[in-house]
Amino acid sequence: MTRYSPRVVACALLLSLWVAVARAATIPSPSEFLGLHVGADRTVADYRQILAYFKALDAASPRVEVEILGKTTLGEDLFLAAISSEANLAGKARLQEIARKIADPRGLADAEAEALVREGKVFLFVTCNIHSTEIGASQMAMEWAHALATAEDAETKRRLDSVVLLLLPSINPDGQIMETEWYRRNLGTRYEGGRMPWLYHHYVGHDDNRDWFMLTQKETQAVSGAVYHEWLPQVWLDEHQMGTTGPRIFVPPYSEPVDPDIHPLVWRDVNLIGANMAFRLEQAQKSGVIYGYVFDAYWPGGTKNTAWWKNISGLLTEVASARFATPVRVERNELSGGGKGLVEYGPQTNFPNPWPGGTWRLRDIMDYERILSDAILETCAERRADFLRNALARARASIATYGPADAFRIPAGQRDAAGAARLAALLAEHGVELRATANGDVYVPLAQPYGRFVNELLTPQRYPETKLVPGKEIVRPYDVSAWTLPLMMGVSAERATLPGGLAAWQAAPPALPLDGAAFALAPGSPETARLVNAGLRGGVARIARSAVSAGGREWAAGTVFLDGAAAKAAAAKAAPGQSWASIGSVPPVAEPLRAPRVGLYKPWTASMDEGWTRFVLEQYGFEPKTLDNKTVRAGGLAAAFDAIVLADLAKEVIATGKRKRDEGSMRYSPEMPPEYAGGLEKEGAAALKDFVERGGTLVALGSSSEYAIDELALPVRNGLDRASDFAIAGSLLRAEVVPDHPVTYGLPPEVAVFLDEALAFDTVPPGPEIERRVLATYPAASQDVLLSGWMRGPEAIARKAAAVALTYGKGKVVLLGFRAQHRAQTPGTFPFLFNALYWSTAR
Ligand SMILES: [Zn+2]
């Protein structure tokens, strides 16, 4: 060991002190860097400013590293900042390798595992601001990062030595930018801090936190890639905001119910962290902290929720909101409970210190968030070895839940081979390991770290009927209650024994031969719409209106025939598992098919279902045009459109632009700027009627059916609107399909339909001027109607119609009572919607 003179030591100490001071001096605070007072009333940094600040931190500090995860829907850079000690960031590759082995400990000996626990660091993933109006965390993230980058105290250094913080200041950058622009535009006006009249994500708005098992959006895909393929964190915190007039902050433990297939150590980690958050908040004299309230631990649609089944300790926090960055004053009498875990506002064991009311501002939100953020970092550092050991134990338990030969099989050659290929690709994207036989059967072994996740998504749900007090009433689902992918996708996947000697899975290439004069594309897969729509725009397509033989084979009604040019255009859109047959010539009985001109109604209420519908139609090549109130009211629609689609909207929203619950309740809806107020009104309803009478096709999804029924006086009604015993929460039901109607081409005799409200049709025989066909029916009461999820009172829905088609004037109306395209998660019933659009161009 080298010996230094006291003088050298003193110099070295002085030098290190100087380096520390210089570092702090050269790393500007976010307020200094941006030239605005971060956290002040009516002041917000937008996402581009936040990214610029983090890039500056990265340049100035060896403790911060910015990583771009990908592009958002509207082309912004989605980033995370890795924040840790200089040594940890320098040794990132090794630490990632350790995290990977802890997440997948197959083949790891105990001694080796213990060595990894000693060497490894906790990877703490913190996501902020997925909901763009919940702006606080995106601002707090900058201040937190600055503090961690500049701190020289021993405690912060110890935390940064034990933990690698992976901080994402906003996981919906597009929406953060939209909301900050909208807020700045309305500052100082009567609309300050008010709701935006469009979605804060180009397609899905608030439902960006419902996409985490289906992974349809770019942001979800990028973040999931970082979590399940790159970093493999053990702990994930997602920071949200909630309403203004209840508790100030929710921290875990969660409320009921809990999914029994999630490892209990997930909840033990989560509860330990949540307890420390509450503890530190109370110490800092922050009142209004609640746990065991509203937010459950059951449904896998949200960010960190999906991660529970993948052995990650996922936490949610929810801080009360201001009016964006504008302070609100809450009077004492306005404070209310009303949710699970707090019926009346007042002290309880889970809420010992209620907030008394007063002014609530952005700075309060950021202060609460900063304390809970520091608290999770503290617990992760304190419990470093425990949390790594627990993650290891969870992964091992998941693997040991199943025998080595337990598996699911996704058979080759099934009705919708492209859908089956899509399911396999989705599981792979989730980090699930797949294998395949030479003939294309895909096997999903269950004895792997994400085995419980696989089982959750491939088997039917049975909602746990938890009661909080004795009696009849159960805790109702927070969101939907079914997510069984094979049913939702119309794909078959069954439990099977894993054969030996399988190869690793690879996506099967499409089989679309281009040698020949004509090509036949059988109906039945939603994926064919991509090919048909591309083909229609690149060449000539025809459709068989009844079964027909061609190329030595029978083709079902709904088969589309493409000429060479159409096939070439279509092949460019090919997906795995797709195929068509080369035939000699197109059968002459087939009718010409042209691309439907589709209009999609968009209210100014920021409808998520409108967004999802637009997303699905665009993804499949329908190129819908948006119709706002003004455009519909102007009329003349029949000249421009073949079909107009109404997404799932309450009839009052379509008619007036206001929700029914806004009337009579204590909920107050602030005014909208006049150009965004109102609905279709009388002129819009008349214009839609005129559109149909002149030959247009009106497609009404979900609740919009009731608007169409009322406005067109159809011989149909909702047979469940007075069924008080009936209740449902996003469940999958069995429906029998009536074959050989243009709207049911290619569908199997029985489908799983997704229903989330009391809506099923009774019809009556109409007069001769209307032709009415029921397209799908719920089975008789003696048969099981519920396939997955939760419902009450199945007798009420027995034998009612799930979907109805009618002719009307020269046009047509299609009513789909179930959610045919719910959150882009139900491809099995997309064909009802797609076929209805093709039907609109039929003579
Ligand atoms: Zn939220």
Side-chain angles (χ1 to χ4, degrees):
M1 188 181 157
T2 322
R3 289 183 164 271
Y4 295 106
S5 72
R7 193 167 165 168
V8 171
V9 172
C11 278
L13 280 174
L14 272 175
L15 183 70
S16 73
L17 189 68
W18 178 81
V19 167
V21 169
R23 181 182 293 163
T26 55
I27 301 179
S29 74
S31 292
E32 288 161 356
F33 180 82
L34 297 175
L36 54 83
H37 190 169
V38 172
D41 291 350
R42 299 181 172 82
T43 305
V44 277
D46 64 48
Y47 182 82
R48 291 175 191 139
Q49 293 175 308
I50 294 171
L51 174 55
Y53 180 65
F54 272 88
K55 281 184 175 166
L57 270 187
D58 177 328
S61 168
R63 296 184 195 165
V64 180
E65 235 181 72
V66 167
E67 179 189 340
I68 306 292
L69 302 180
K71 291 285 182 195
T72 66
T73 304
L74 298 182
E76 300 294 326
D77 282 331
L78 178 57
F79 80 97
L80 69 72
I83 303 176
S84 193
S85 68
E86 193 172 347
N88 284 347
L89 291 184
K92 186 176 87 175
R94 169 65 184 157
L95 294 178
Q96 284 182 332
E97 186 192 341
I98 295 170
R100 184 171 299 278
K101 284 186 175 168
I102 286 173
D104 184 359
R106 283 176 291 181
L108 206 61
D110 284 352
E112 209 182 333
E114 196 48 38
L116 293 179
V117 165
R118 273 199 301 276
E119 187 187 350
K121 310 294 175 183
V122 171
F123 283 6
L124 166 62
F125 208 77
V126 177
T127 47
C128 304
N129 185 235
I130 183 171
H131 293 145
S132 309
T133 49
E134 301 164 15
I135 198 70
S138 71
Q139 314 293 301
M140 179 279 299
M142 291 187 287
E143 294 185 343
W144 192 26
H146 176 254
L148 295 174
T150 54
E152 290 302 332
D153 64 288
E155 173 59 20
T156 305
K157 284 183 169 176
R158 186 182 69 85
R159 292 177 189 179
L160 292 179
D161 185 47
S162 302
V163 181
V164 177
L165 168 64
L166 304 161
L167 178 61
L168 290 86
S170 176
I171 53 172
N172 177 15
D174 298 345
Q176 207 275 0
I177 291 168
M178 287 183 215
E179 286 287 355
T180 47
E181 275 176 3
W182 175 255
Y183 181 74
R184 288 168 178 171
R185 192 209 294 186
N186 290 299
L187 265 179
T189 73
R190 61 195 294 161
Y191 310 115
E192 177 177 316
R195 185 176 65 73
M196 221 169 49
W198 49 82
L199 295 165
Y200 56 55
H201 176 279
H202 183 63
Y203 292 116
V204 305
H206 201 76
D207 269 356
D208 57 359
N209 201 30
R210 312 281 184 264
D211 188 43
W212 294 78
F213 62 82
M214 205 67 191
L215 309 181
T216 68
Q217 301 300 310
K218 285 187 169 183
E219 296 79 11
T220 329
Q221 291 161 0
V223 174
S224 287
V227 172
Y228 302 120
H229 292 275
E230 190 193 353
W231 287 96
L232 289 308
Q234 298 85 30
V235 184
W236 183 346
L237 165 65
D238 196 31
E239 301 202 18
H240 285 247
Q241 289 172 220
M242 56 184 176
T244 304
T245 58
R248 293 302 91 189
I249 181 172
F250 161 83
V251 299
Y254 294 100
S255 89
E256 303 296 339
V258 55
D259 187 289
D261 293 327
I262 297 165
H263 196 288
L265 272 176
V266 165
W267 309 129
R268 297 305 180 188
D269 285 9
V270 163
N271 296 351
L272 195 65
I273 295 167
N276 192 46
M277 288 174 172
F279 177 81
R280 291 296 181 205
L281 283 159
E282 206 66 58
Q283 268 190 332
Q285 299 184 318
K286 301 296 181 194
S287 62
V289 184
I290 195 165
Y291 68 85
Y293 170 71
V294 177
F295 309 100
D296 68 20
Y298 180 66
W299 154 82
T303 50
K304 81 296 160 196
N305 303 36
T306 315
W308 295 328
W309 283 268
K310 296 181 177 180
N311 312 316
I312 295 174
S313 298
L315 292 97
L316 168 74
T317 55
E318 298 264 0
V319 180
S321 295
R323 192 172 294 123
F324 206 69
T326 301
V328 288
R329 189 176 160 76
V330 184
E331 300 293 350
R332 186 180 282 262
N333 63 287
E334 290 162 359
L335 288 163
S336 61
K340 252 187 303 188
L342 186 71
V343 175
E344 301 288 343
Y345 193 91
Q348 303 184 159
T349 52
N350 64 340
F351 189 51
N353 183 16
W355 184 64
T359 300
W360 187 251
R361 43 176 34 104
L362 176 61
R363 179 41 73 187
D364 294 313
I365 297 167
M366 291 168 62
D367 286 349
Y368 275 59
E369 287 173 337
R370 177 63 187 285
I371 293 168
L372 73 86
S373 298
D374 278 326
I376 193 171
L377 191 61
E378 178 188 17
T379 313
C380 287
E382 199 77 46
R383 296 286 183 167
R384 186 197 62 80
D386 277 326
F387 281 3
L388 295 182
R389 223 171 259 131
N390 288 357
L392 190 75
R394 295 191 291 263
R396 283 182 161 163
S398 186
I399 295 161
T401 304
Y402 303 97
D406 288 340
F408 275 91
R409 185 172 80 107
I410 306 172
Q414 57 177 285
R415 192 188 63 82
D416 181 2
R422 210 184 142 198
L423 174 59
L426 173 60
L427 292 173
E429 196 175 349
H430 269 294
V432 172
E433 201 177 281
L434 308 172
R435 296 185 206 161
T437 63
N439 79 347
D441 280 353
V442 176
Y443 280 86
V444 192
L446 282 167
Q448 60 172 309
Y450 296 169
R452 292 183 188 205
F453 173 75
V454 171
N455 191 61
E456 182 68 25
L457 288 186
L458 298 188
T459 53
Q461 276 69 50
R462 288 290 171 256
Y463 183 70
E465 297 210 332
T466 312
K467 293 176 182 178
L468 295 182
V469 290
K472 234 176 114 178
E473 209 35 59
I474 61 153
V475 174
R476 296 289 181 97
Y478 179 83
D479 190 80
V480 302
S481 63
W483 37 86
T484 315
L485 289 180
L487 293 174
M488 294 167 98
M489 299 178 79
V491 164
S492 133
E494 68 226 10
R495 277 299 288 266
T497 301
L498 189 68
L502 296 181
W505 168 86
Q506 280 180 314
L512 303 172
L514 283 169
D515 52 329
F519 305 87
L521 191 51
S525 172
E527 303 301 314
T528 60
R530 284 183 224 272
L531 301 184
V532 172
N533 287 331
L536 281 170
R537 291 180 172 91
V540 177
R542 297 173 79 87
I543 185 167
R545 295 275 172 213
S546 54
V548 58
S549 60
R553 187 186 142 179
E554 273 298 288
W555 296 94
T559 297
V560 173
F561 300 96
L562 305 176
D563 73 355
K568 203 165 163 229
K573 299 281 177 188
Q578 290 196 304
S579 62
W580 62 41
S582 176
I583 55 171
S585 61
V586 174
V589 294
E591 290 177 13
L593 185 65
R594 63 180 174 80
R597 297 166 302 163
V598 179
L600 175 63
Y601 171 63
K602 176 183 182 172
W604 294 120
T605 53
S607 157
M608 287 180 277
D609 198 58
E610 180 277 327
W612 282 114
T613 308
R614 182 161 34 86
F615 173 73
V616 168
L617 294 178
E618 284 182 12
Q619 288 292 303
Y620 286 85
F622 285 97
E623 301 180 7
K625 290 210 166 54
T626 293
L627 297 171
D628 62 14
N629 290 324
K630 205 169 133 192
T631 317
V632 175
R633 287 198 297 245
L637 300 164
F641 297 99
D642 299 302
I644 291 178
V645 179
L646 302 176
D648 176 48
L649 297 162
K651 62 184 178 189
E652 300 81 9
V653 167
I654 304 174
T656 68
K658 284 193 175 143
R659 293 175 183 84
K660 198 177 180 183
R661 62 179 160 85
D662 293 346
E663 300 157 17
S665 80
M666 282 302 289
R667 183 186 290 263
Y668 179 76
S669 295
E671 259 179 56
M672 293 294 282
E675 62 268 40
Y676 306 117
L680 285 185
E681 319 296 336
K682 282 203 164 61
E683 309 100 277
L688 283 181
K689 190 169 183 217
D690 176 70
F691 166 72
V692 181
E693 282 172 340
R694 288 171 188 271
T697 297
L698 183 65
V699 182
L701 305 176
S703 291
S704 293
S705 302
E706 299 191 79
Y707 177 83
I709 290 167
D710 285 0
E711 294 299 336
L712 301 178
L714 302 175
V716 183
R717 68 175 189 106
N718 178 10
L720 291 178
D721 62 351
R722 268 157 287 177
S724 57
D725 293 343
F726 182 85
I728 195 159
S731 305
L732 289 158
L733 303 186
R734 191 191 305 277
E736 293 156 359
V737 177
V738 175
D740 293 333
H741 188 278
V743 178
T744 61
Y745 284 160
L747 284 161
E750 195 179 286
V751 291
V753 301
F754 193 88
L755 189 69
D756 64 357
E757 61 178 325
L759 178 62
F761 303 121
D762 289 328
T763 62
V764 292
E769 74 283 9
I770 291 182
E771 193 185 306
R772 168 272 296 113
R773 286 287 303 279
V774 168
L775 302 173
T777 315
Y778 296 107
S782 57
Q783 290 162 278
D784 285 344
V785 63
L786 181 65
L787 294 172
S788 182
W790 177 83
M791 82 186 296
R792 175 179 284 173
E795 308 77 24
I797 203 170
R799 295 179 54 238
K800 293 210 185 299
V804 180
L806 307 101
T807 61
Y808 188 95
K810 291 181 182 163
K812 310 170 190 109
V813 180
V814 177
L815 308 174
L816 303 179
F818 54 89
R819 307 296 324 284
Q821 66 348 330
H822 182 254
R823 295 177 183 161
Q825 291 167 359
T826 54
T829 52
F830 288 177
F832 283 98
L833 170 60
F834 297 170
N835 286 339
L837 299 178
Y838 292 127
W839 190 37
S840 73
T841 68
R843 285 167 296 177

